[in-house]
Structure formats: C-alpha cells, structure tokens
C-alpha cells in the first residue's frame, strides 16, 4: 500500500471544513485530530504535535471571536503559523565565511540526489563569486566519481577524486587539504549514498567526517520518501553532526511532508530545495511558500 504523503493528509483535513456550514469547536477539534494523527504518523515529535493543537485552540477561541470573523481563514492561518514554526528548529544554519575554507560534507541515502545537489550547491556559490571545489569521497558506487566529474566539468568547477585509492576518508582528507592549500573557500565533500542504515557505510561516513572536520554537514533528502523520513534523518544525525537539510525532487508529486519529519529528527534547518535535474533547479528554502504548498 502506498501511504499518502503527510502534505496530502493535511490538505484533506483542512478541506473537510468546507463540508460544514457552521464552524464550531467540534469541527475544529475533529480537524485538529486528523492533523495531529497525520503528523504523528509522519513521526513528528509528540510534544511538537501537542503544542500545535494547544496553540491553534488558543488562537481560535470560539468564546472570544469578534463577530463576522472568517473562522475558516483564522483556522487556516493558525495552522499555517504552527507548521511554519515546526519547520524552524530555532537554530540558524551554518553560514560560510569568505576568505577562509568552509568544508561542507553532504550525506544522504543513495538516490536522494546528493551528487546532483553537491554540484547545484557548488554552482550557486560559484555564481556568487566564491572559490569552490568538489571532492568525491564515494568509492562505494561504481561510476560515482565519473558522475561528479562530469557534473563538475559541465559547471566548470574544479574537482578532486581518485580511481585507485579505495579508502574514501583518505581521498576526502587529501582533497580537502589540497583545496585548502590552494585558497578555496567552499570545499564540498560528496560521500557515498547509503541504502539503508548499513553499519559499515555509516562508520565510513564518520571516518570521512573525522578526516575532513566539516564546518557543516548537509543531509540531502528525497521529498518523496514520506513516512520513512524521520528514521533516516535520525540515523544520520546520530552519526554525524547534521547542521542543515536540503530537500530534493520537489518538482514531482510529493508535497514534501517528510521535510517536517526531517527537521524534527535532525533539529537542523532546511537551507535549499531541489526542483529538477538541472543545475539551476535549486532554490533558497522559504518556509511560508513551502507550507502553502504542503497545504495546497
Ligand atoms: P545520489 O545517489 O544521492 O548521489 O543521487 P544522484 O545525485 O545521483 O541523483 C539521483 C537521481 O535523482 C538522478 O537521476 C538525478 O538527476 C535526480 N535528481 C536529483 N535531484 C533532483 C531534483 O531536485 N528533481 C528531480 N526531478 N530529480 C532530481
């Protein structure tokens, strides 16, 4: 069975209001129950879900509403506010600093769009005038270095990798050291994608982190992963210091409900979203626009 995306469940819950001519506490509570259930099923933290319910009930106090107020709009905007605050873990993402090396390590499941996203991220900073280099520390997947090389060459971004060295932490360490020596400002380390939470590959990821001492670790997540998002994000967070998230493939059908789970699990803010396969299909993350899409 394909489980509905969290976003779809939330919009269905909101749309149910249209079936009622009178919006009262009972209607609101039924809708909140649906919304909370959907959030809990998506593994959003229980305390956060309870907080949402309490805050919406406080914002929509039926005993105290001015006459003529549009209750539907009020409820929608209260829920919107709460979802926006859920997507804000309350910490600022790492901001690269000019004229010094910033090492950014990318992690994620295989197929999440990590290698593509590394190039998009590199391209974004290059366009802004930063000196950017890409390091391929994926020795696990055959062809990974070629893929990065091809992407990097197309985008005219210097890259580092090896066909002979088999230890990814050695490649990562060497690549980062080389780019640091040459005065690079953004040094991106692409790591192997994990299928699931394979122990050996996670160990390798920790070794790469130890060898490169990243300033930020970016967790790349496919927006269509839906329900599994929380566990995946948590597994990565437990091994490396995930500081930011990037959600990919938001050009597809997925509404991106998994993003809420990823933020809840990593307590790391979303910095960008991927909206296509092309290098320019990359946007800054805008909380409000994202939540509107989620509920739309
Ligand atoms: P990795 O295994 O995590 O490194 O994933 P890749 O970067 O190789 O990407 C896997 C597939 O997803 C490729 O076919 C990419 O072109 C595609 N992809 C990556 N990001 C996006 C995105 O934002 N939108 C779409 N539609 N496809 C994407």
């Amino acid at each position: 069975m394909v489980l509905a995306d969290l976003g779809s469940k939330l919009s269905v819950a909101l749309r149910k209001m249209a079936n009622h001519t009178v919006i009262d506490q009972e209607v609101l509570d039924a809708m909140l129950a649906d919304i909370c259930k959907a959030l809990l099923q998506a593994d959003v933290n229980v305390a956060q879900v309870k907080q949402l319910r309490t805050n919406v009930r406080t914002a929509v106090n039926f005993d105290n509403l001015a006459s003529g107020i549009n209750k539907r709009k009020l409820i929608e905007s209260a829920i919107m506010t709460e979802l926006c605050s859920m997507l804000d873990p309350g910490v600022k993402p790492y901001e690269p600093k000019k004229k010094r090396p910033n090492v950014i390590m990318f992690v994620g499941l295989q197929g999440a769009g990590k290698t593509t996203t590394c190039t998009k991220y590199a391209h974004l900073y290059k366009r802004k005038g930063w000196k950017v280099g890409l390091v391929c520390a994926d020795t696990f997947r055959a062809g990974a270095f070629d893929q990065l090389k091809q992407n990097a060459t197309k985008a005219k971004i210097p890259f580092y990798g090896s066909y002979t060295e088999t230890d990814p932490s050695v490649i990562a360490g060497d690549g980062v050291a080389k780019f640091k020596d040459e005065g690079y400002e953004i040094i991106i380390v692409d790591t192997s994608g994990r299928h699931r939470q394979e122990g050996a590959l996670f160990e390798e990821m920790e070794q790469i982190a130890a060898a490169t001492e990243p300033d930020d670790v970016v967790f790349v997540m496919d927006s269509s992963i839906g329900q599994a998002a929380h566990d995946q994000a948590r597994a990565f967070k437990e091994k490396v210091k995930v500081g930011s998230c990037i959600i990919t493939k938001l050009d597809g059908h997925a509404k991106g409900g998994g993003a809420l789970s990823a933020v809840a699990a990593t307590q790391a803010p979303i910095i960008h979203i991927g909206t296509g396969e092309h290098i320019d299909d990359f946007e800054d993350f805008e909380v409000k626009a994202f939540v509107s899409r989620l509920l739309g």
Side-chain angles (χ1 to χ4, degrees), residues 108-117 120 141 147 190-191 193 220 247-252 273-277 281:
L109 288 181
Q110 184 152 19
K114 201 164 25 57
T115 302
T116 310
T117 305
K120 287 178 176 179
R141 181 163 61 95
Q147 185 192 347
D190 187 13
T191 62
V220 179
I247 314 293
T248 62
K249 308 188 193 180
L250 276 165
D251 47 314
I273 56 171
T275 53
E277 297 191 62
D281 297 331

